[in-house]
Amino acid sequence: MTKLTHHLVPLLFVAAGLGLSLIGLRPVVADLLILSVYYLLLAGSWNLLAGFAGQYSFAHIGLATAGAYGTAALVIAGGLSGWATLVIMPLAVALLGGGLGLVALRVRGVQLPLITFAFAGAFAVFLAAASDITNGSMGLQLPKLVPGFDRSLYLVLGGILAGLFFIVQNWMIDGKLGLLMQAIRDNEDIAHGMGVGIFRVKIAAFMITAAIAGLAGSFYANYVGVLAPSMLSMGEMGYVVAMAVIGGLGYRYGPLIGVVIIRSIEYFVRGFGAEYTLVIITGIALLVVLFFREGVIAYVSRLMPRQTARWRS
Amino acid sequence: MTQLFVQSLLLGLLQGGLYALLAVGLSLVFGILRVVNFAHGEFAMLGSFAAVFVVDMLGLPVWTGLIAAAVAGAAIAYATNILVLRPIYLSRMRQKGEYTIIATFLLSQFLIAAATLSFGTTYRKLPGLWDQNLAIFDYIYLSGNRIVAFVAAIAMIALLFFIVYRTDIGRAWRALTQNPLGAAVVGIDVNRYANLAFLASGAFAGLAAALLAPLMFVFPASGVIALVKAFIVVIIGGLGSIRGTLFAGLLLGVVEVMCTVYIDTGYTDAYGFALMIAVLLFRPQGLFGRTGRAV
Amino acid sequence: MSEAITIKGLRVAYESDIEILRGVDMLGGANTLTAIIGPNGAGKSTLLKGVAGVAPVTGGEIHLGGQRIEALNAAQRVGAGVSFVPQEASVFGQMTVLENLRLGGWHRRKDKAWLERRIAFCGDLFHSIKPHLERRAGDLSGGQQKLVEIARGLVGEPRLLLLDEPTAGLSPVMVREVYREIARLKESRSVTVLLVEQNVREALAVADHVYVLAMGQNDTDGPAAEIAGRLDGIVRNWMSREGSGMAS
């Protein structure tokens, strides 16, 4: 794809959000699409961090949950409007992510996945235990962005946020930061030898993707309106990883494809019950990792050799 | 005051021995293959379910449950190595370490989902080997089950130390840990010794979970908590160091119990994270880690 | 005792499809010393790694005596009599020198009497490490560690010894020790040696036969004396290639 098409994708999402809000979708489909934006933001930003910068973090759902609970705190205790939280929480979560990165990125290699995993686990325990703040499994109630429950507003907002994500992604990948990230991913020693400020690049990537996760969490809180500690589970993280991996890690549109595939499977097997859905999706993701390591995009483009260059970013 | 302190210290050490047993296989496998196994917690979870099956469903004595847990854990660990990990680390792909993390993480999610489907989400409990509270010096009370679990854990870790420092298997493991190329040129078969390490790792994780089962609960997602504990232990102790794992396990147990007693009871599982962050700020490579560059 | 090594059309590729070795033929006569020389990036080290089984062989044949070994893994090749001393550090740093030597006889570790004899013999080979047998190998100097690796490579009484730049980074005293041992091995006519060496003159002085590699393929070969005579032309050839950016 050319650079121009990359820049048209955000517009496409904004237009799709507007268009779908006008058609009047069935609520179940609208809900599916709106929550898919939440997953797209998470899988997409995780792909930027893992697929492009080579930093495998398991804190992503934890950061999104922090964004959601921060939103609840600002709205309920601070009396702010939900709109303001959509701006404030990404910045706040970026700072949280930066703090985590300062500890976890000091040592290269496998420390990051372990430390971020432990962070997610400890944060989940904290949320469950701090029931005086989080109201335990009963959950926290938040007002909607506008009175009443109008899904079309969220479809428009979802389209805009998805578009915003692709703008940020274009800016990162095509810019200097993206080049440095990929240099570190491909060979940290050589990147270091070329004078790349490795720690700064990693922290930058960590903070930007944390901000997107925070935005996703804030969007989730403002849309779903009920927050329970179960939002932060390793199963959810597994979903996000599965989406990025099935589509293709390190491909610009990998997570988008992954979200479409997994959300479709979810939609069609939902009749079997949640346990089956989870077994099917994690099973598929595992098979993809074992047998189609580069994901669907790479596999399809190998079937169509001439188009390889177009899809690769 | 002293009574509470001594009691907490002992309780912490007893708990810590089990954490060390839980984590030691993770460290062993990492040392040999440079693979962080995110499915390690599920070896523990499935081990404890095997114990529940043998004891509750078949009605066999409790000690057979421990054996069943160790065997189940070892079998699943072995299968994981053969089916999931070996195809990756024998391949010629780039970023093998990252892909093993993704693959084992997705495997862990799959195993949790499959266990939920098969066993349901009910919390189960195992009867202990020694369901009695003991009074020591008249004022310190410990449950017999904790003592049994601790003694078993320390015995197993002692066995591992013996294997590592006194046998040919241990010599091969140490060689692979210290210099994989050197191990290859002297003719140590990495596949064979990786298999053995996985067997040990799974057996220890399953056994630890079965020893913990009378004290905690058995349920499909229990492996996640186990894995978080194991990660905290290996990061504090230094990845790949068995001595470090033992020390860090005991330290984590003591810190958890102390904080629970003296600060707040609700956050037991979160104190370890704070401890880990504190250690990382002073020694990024862990207390016993030799180098900061793990991969 | 020892066997000839025959290599036919050997290909090695690490990642994806970038071949480092693109069909190399070689014959190392039984109990002879064959030196392999060539410019940087010619594939000399990769050839030894392919023979030792620590680099992925993607094509070709390797015969050690009557046995085909290219399909064996590294451990099985050690069992077949191959001993490889790589250029990279391969010493077990946390173990003592003696423990390192003990691991050199890994494939015959059940034969206790033989193993003790070999450890004693090989621990005695180099004056620079003889006083340090009880020390941790990681605490020795880089040159001493290299001598430990060479000694360890001899413990198993190999039929084929692969030496990859054994003297790189060594002090002149140690270089002399290493070449004295290599010469002794050659005189004893008990092992076939493939020697990769940057220091061409040193290698020619000790070798029976010399192969020249360039860009992953055979360039030329001949008896050491003959190659020594043509050396200026061969080296000029490398220079012109490197100058044109063909080799790197």
Side-chain angles (χ1 to χ4, degrees), chain B residues 177-192:
Chain B
T177 304
Q178 291 174 24
N179 196 317
L181 177 65
V185 302
V186 300
I188 292 170
D189 184 353
V190 61
N191 284 330
R192 182 181 143 89

PDB file of all heavy atoms in Angstrom, chain B residues 177-192:
ATOM      1  N   THR B 177      23.624 -24.177  30.865  1.00  0.00           N
ATOM      2  CA  THR B 177      23.301 -22.860  31.414  1.00  0.00           C
ATOM      3  C   THR B 177      24.462 -21.897  31.246  1.00  0.00           C
ATOM      4  O   THR B 177      24.276 -20.744  30.886  1.00  0.00           O
ATOM      5  CB  THR B 177      22.957 -22.991  32.912  1.00  0.00           C
ATOM      6  OG1 THR B 177      21.901 -23.942  33.037  1.00  0.00           O
ATOM      7  CG2 THR B 177      22.520 -21.673  33.502  1.00  0.00           C
ATOM      8  N   GLN B 178      25.676 -22.406  31.485  1.00  0.00           N
ATOM      9  CA  GLN B 178      26.831 -21.505  31.474  1.00  0.00           C
ATOM     10  C   GLN B 178      27.309 -21.190  30.070  1.00  0.00           C
ATOM     11  O   GLN B 178      27.780 -20.085  29.807  1.00  0.00           O
ATOM     12  CB  GLN B 178      27.979 -22.114  32.290  1.00  0.00           C
ATOM     13  CG  GLN B 178      27.665 -22.143  33.770  1.00  0.00           C
ATOM     14  CD  GLN B 178      28.723 -22.880  34.559  1.00  0.00           C
ATOM     15  OE1 GLN B 178      29.860 -23.001  34.134  1.00  0.00           O
ATOM     16  NE2 GLN B 178      28.334 -23.374  35.724  1.00  0.00           N
ATOM     17  N   ASN B 179      27.233 -22.131  29.166  1.00  0.00           N
ATOM     18  CA  ASN B 179      27.706 -21.865  27.813  1.00  0.00           C
ATOM     19  C   ASN B 179      27.101 -22.870  26.822  1.00  0.00           C
ATOM     20  O   ASN B 179      27.633 -23.961  26.636  1.00  0.00           O
ATOM     21  CB  ASN B 179      29.241 -21.927  27.762  1.00  0.00           C
ATOM     22  CG  ASN B 179      29.783 -21.285  26.510  1.00  0.00           C
ATOM     23  OD1 ASN B 179      29.243 -21.488  25.415  1.00  0.00           O
ATOM     24  ND2 ASN B 179      30.823 -20.505  26.651  1.00  0.00           N
ATOM     25  N   PRO B 180      26.013 -22.485  26.169  1.00  0.00           N
ATOM     26  CA  PRO B 180      25.333 -23.411  25.251  1.00  0.00           C
ATOM     27  C   PRO B 180      26.254 -23.915  24.138  1.00  0.00           C
ATOM     28  O   PRO B 180      26.217 -25.094  23.791  1.00  0.00           O
ATOM     29  CB  PRO B 180      24.197 -22.571  24.677  1.00  0.00           C
ATOM     30  CG  PRO B 180      23.971 -21.481  25.657  1.00  0.00           C
ATOM     31  CD  PRO B 180      25.294 -21.212  26.290  1.00  0.00           C
ATOM     32  N   LEU B 181      27.123 -23.038  23.620  1.00  0.00           N
ATOM     33  CA  LEU B 181      28.025 -23.473  22.558  1.00  0.00           C
ATOM     34  C   LEU B 181      29.022 -24.499  23.094  1.00  0.00           C
ATOM     35  O   LEU B 181      29.261 -25.542  22.466  1.00  0.00           O
ATOM     36  CB  LEU B 181      28.767 -22.261  21.968  1.00  0.00           C
ATOM     37  CG  LEU B 181      29.806 -22.589  20.901  1.00  0.00           C
ATOM     38  CD1 LEU B 181      29.155 -23.177  19.661  1.00  0.00           C
ATOM     39  CD2 LEU B 181      30.621 -21.344  20.538  1.00  0.00           C
ATOM     40  N   GLY B 182      29.562 -24.204  24.269  1.00  0.00           N
ATOM     41  CA  GLY B 182      30.493 -25.144  24.887  1.00  0.00           C
ATOM     42  C   GLY B 182      29.839 -26.497  25.112  1.00  0.00           C
ATOM     43  O   GLY B 182      30.427 -27.554  24.849  1.00  0.00           O
ATOM     44  N   ALA B 183      28.574 -26.459  25.572  1.00  0.00           N
ATOM     45  CA  ALA B 183      27.859 -27.719  25.806  1.00  0.00           C
ATOM     46  C   ALA B 183      27.689 -28.482  24.495  1.00  0.00           C
ATOM     47  O   ALA B 183      27.833 -29.707  24.452  1.00  0.00           O
ATOM     48  CB  ALA B 183      26.498 -27.423  26.439  1.00  0.00           C
ATOM     49  N   ALA B 184      27.414 -27.761  23.412  1.00  0.00           N
ATOM     50  CA  ALA B 184      27.238 -28.434  22.120  1.00  0.00           C
ATOM     51  C   ALA B 184      28.542 -29.075  21.661  1.00  0.00           C
ATOM     52  O   ALA B 184      28.544 -30.205  21.185  1.00  0.00           O
ATOM     53  CB  ALA B 184      26.736 -27.432  21.080  1.00  0.00           C
ATOM     54  N   VAL B 185      29.667 -28.378  21.817  1.00  0.00           N
ATOM     55  CA  VAL B 185      30.910 -28.926  21.274  1.00  0.00           C
ATOM     56  C   VAL B 185      31.463 -30.080  22.110  1.00  0.00           C
ATOM     57  O   VAL B 185      32.239 -30.877  21.601  1.00  0.00           O
ATOM     58  CB  VAL B 185      32.003 -27.853  21.035  1.00  0.00           C
ATOM     59  CG1 VAL B 185      31.513 -26.787  20.086  1.00  0.00           C
ATOM     60  CG2 VAL B 185      32.492 -27.253  22.339  1.00  0.00           C
ATOM     61  N   VAL B 186      31.082 -30.165  23.390  1.00  0.00           N
ATOM     62  CA  VAL B 186      31.533 -31.348  24.135  1.00  0.00           C
ATOM     63  C   VAL B 186      30.546 -32.504  23.974  1.00  0.00           C
ATOM     64  O   VAL B 186      30.781 -33.589  24.490  1.00  0.00           O
ATOM     65  CB  VAL B 186      31.797 -31.076  25.640  1.00  0.00           C
ATOM     66  CG1 VAL B 186      32.861 -30.021  25.819  1.00  0.00           C
ATOM     67  CG2 VAL B 186      30.523 -30.722  26.366  1.00  0.00           C
ATOM     68  N   GLY B 187      29.450 -32.276  23.260  1.00  0.00           N
ATOM     69  CA  GLY B 187      28.576 -33.398  22.922  1.00  0.00           C
ATOM     70  C   GLY B 187      27.410 -33.592  23.864  1.00  0.00           C
ATOM     71  O   GLY B 187      26.874 -34.691  23.967  1.00  0.00           O
ATOM     72  N   ILE B 188      26.993 -32.507  24.561  1.00  0.00           N
ATOM     73  CA  ILE B 188      25.816 -32.624  25.426  1.00  0.00           C
ATOM     74  C   ILE B 188      24.579 -32.408  24.555  1.00  0.00           C
ATOM     75  O   ILE B 188      24.464 -31.396  23.865  1.00  0.00           O
ATOM     76  CB  ILE B 188      25.881 -31.600  26.572  1.00  0.00           C
ATOM     77  CG1 ILE B 188      27.019 -31.988  27.517  1.00  0.00           C
ATOM     78  CG2 ILE B 188      24.559 -31.549  27.315  1.00  0.00           C
ATOM     79  CD1 ILE B 188      27.349 -30.955  28.546  1.00  0.00           C
ATOM     80  N   ASP B 189      23.666 -33.357  24.625  1.00  0.00           N
ATOM     81  CA  ASP B 189      22.483 -33.320  23.763  1.00  0.00           C
ATOM     82  C   ASP B 189      21.429 -32.410  24.396  1.00  0.00           C
ATOM     83  O   ASP B 189      20.783 -32.784  25.379  1.00  0.00           O
ATOM     84  CB  ASP B 189      21.938 -34.746  23.619  1.00  0.00           C
ATOM     85  CG  ASP B 189      20.767 -34.798  22.659  1.00  0.00           C
ATOM     86  OD1 ASP B 189      20.302 -33.733  22.218  1.00  0.00           O
ATOM     87  OD2 ASP B 189      20.317 -35.917  22.354  1.00  0.00           O
ATOM     88  N   VAL B 190      21.265 -31.230  23.830  1.00  0.00           N
ATOM     89  CA  VAL B 190      20.387 -30.233  24.459  1.00  0.00           C
ATOM     90  C   VAL B 190      18.950 -30.738  24.537  1.00  0.00           C
ATOM     91  O   VAL B 190      18.262 -30.503  25.531  1.00  0.00           O
ATOM     92  CB  VAL B 190      20.482 -28.871  23.730  1.00  0.00           C
ATOM     93  CG1 VAL B 190      20.051 -28.972  22.297  1.00  0.00           C
ATOM     94  CG2 VAL B 190      19.633 -27.817  24.432  1.00  0.00           C
ATOM     95  N   ASN B 191      18.505 -31.482  23.540  1.00  0.00           N
ATOM     96  CA  ASN B 191      17.124 -31.975  23.557  1.00  0.00           C
ATOM     97  C   ASN B 191      16.855 -32.869  24.759  1.00  0.00           C
ATOM     98  O   ASN B 191      15.868 -32.721  25.461  1.00  0.00           O
ATOM     99  CB  ASN B 191      16.829 -32.773  22.290  1.00  0.00           C
ATOM    100  CG  ASN B 191      16.627 -31.847  21.118  1.00  0.00           C
ATOM    101  OD1 ASN B 191      16.170 -30.715  21.288  1.00  0.00           O
ATOM    102  ND2 ASN B 191      16.985 -32.318  19.945  1.00  0.00           N
ATOM    103  N   ARG B 192      17.759 -33.807  24.960  1.00  0.00           N
ATOM    104  CA  ARG B 192      17.587 -34.763  26.043  1.00  0.00           C
ATOM    105  C   ARG B 192      17.553 -34.055  27.391  1.00  0.00           C
ATOM    106  O   ARG B 192      16.679 -34.302  28.222  1.00  0.00           O
ATOM    107  CB  ARG B 192      18.756 -35.756  25.992  1.00  0.00           C
ATOM    108  CG  ARG B 192      18.727 -36.840  26.997  1.00  0.00           C
ATOM    109  CD  ARG B 192      19.979 -37.702  26.807  1.00  0.00           C
ATOM    110  NE  ARG B 192      20.466 -38.143  28.096  1.00  0.00           N
ATOM    111  CZ  ARG B 192      20.065 -39.264  28.676  1.00  0.00           C
ATOM    112  NH1 ARG B 192      19.239 -40.037  28.062  1.00  0.00           N
ATOM    113  NH2 ARG B 192      20.525 -39.605  29.858  1.00  0.00           N
TER     114      ARG B 192
END
